[in-house]
């Protein structure tokens, strides 16, 4: 099943500047594995060595933050949009 993945600017070096790409998988974990198969190295920027989403990266399936769902085991239905969003910090 195919989903679309929105790629933040900071990771577009992996996707040859594509802001949105397609990936296959029934869970976020499978989508990230497929993404890494097509764009080597990108998965390591999203998850840590234990396979958990890095602290300063947010992943959404549709409008749902996967941290509040099933994490990397969150299901992805065909046609779903997965968004990878780096956390922003700072201020005055």
């Amino acid at each position: 099943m195919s989903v679309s993945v929105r790629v933040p600017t900071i990771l577009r070096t992996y996707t040859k500047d594509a802001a949105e790409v397609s990936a296959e998988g029934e869970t976020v974990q499978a989508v990230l594995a497929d993404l890494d198969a097509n764009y080597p190295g990108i998965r390591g920027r999203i998850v840590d060595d234990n396979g958990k989403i890095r602290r300063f990266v947010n992943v959404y399936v549709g409008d749902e933050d996967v941290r509040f769902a099933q994490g990397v085991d969150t299901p992805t239905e065909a046609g779903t949009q997965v968004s990878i969003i780096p956390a922003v910090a700072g201020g005055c």
Side-chain angles (χ1 to χ4, degrees):
M1 87 181 39
S2 182
V3 301
S4 63
V5 181
R6 296 179 71 191
V7 180
T9 304
I10 196 166
L11 296 180
R12 291 182 190 164
T13 55
Y14 294 94
T15 60
K16 300 177 184 162
D17 291 328
E20 188 166 318
V21 297
S22 294
E24 300 287 327
E26 295 182 3
T27 64
V28 169
Q29 185 168 319
V31 167
L32 294 177
D34 186 63
L35 199 61
D36 198 64
N38 293 306
Y39 307 101
I42 196 168
R43 183 178 181 276
R45 300 290 305 272
I46 301 166
V47 297
D48 63 20
D49 292 339
N50 296 318
K52 293 187 177 186
I53 295 172
R54 292 187 180 278
R55 185 174 177 189
F56 297 108
V57 176
N58 300 303
V59 177
Y60 287 79
V61 173
D63 294 332
E64 188 168 12
D65 185 338
V66 300
R67 282 197 173 91
F68 300 104
Q70 298 172 45
V72 293
D73 295 324
T74 301
T76 55
E77 296 182 18
T80 300
Q81 185 166 62
V82 175
S83 301
I84 302 164
I85 303 171
V88 177
C92 52

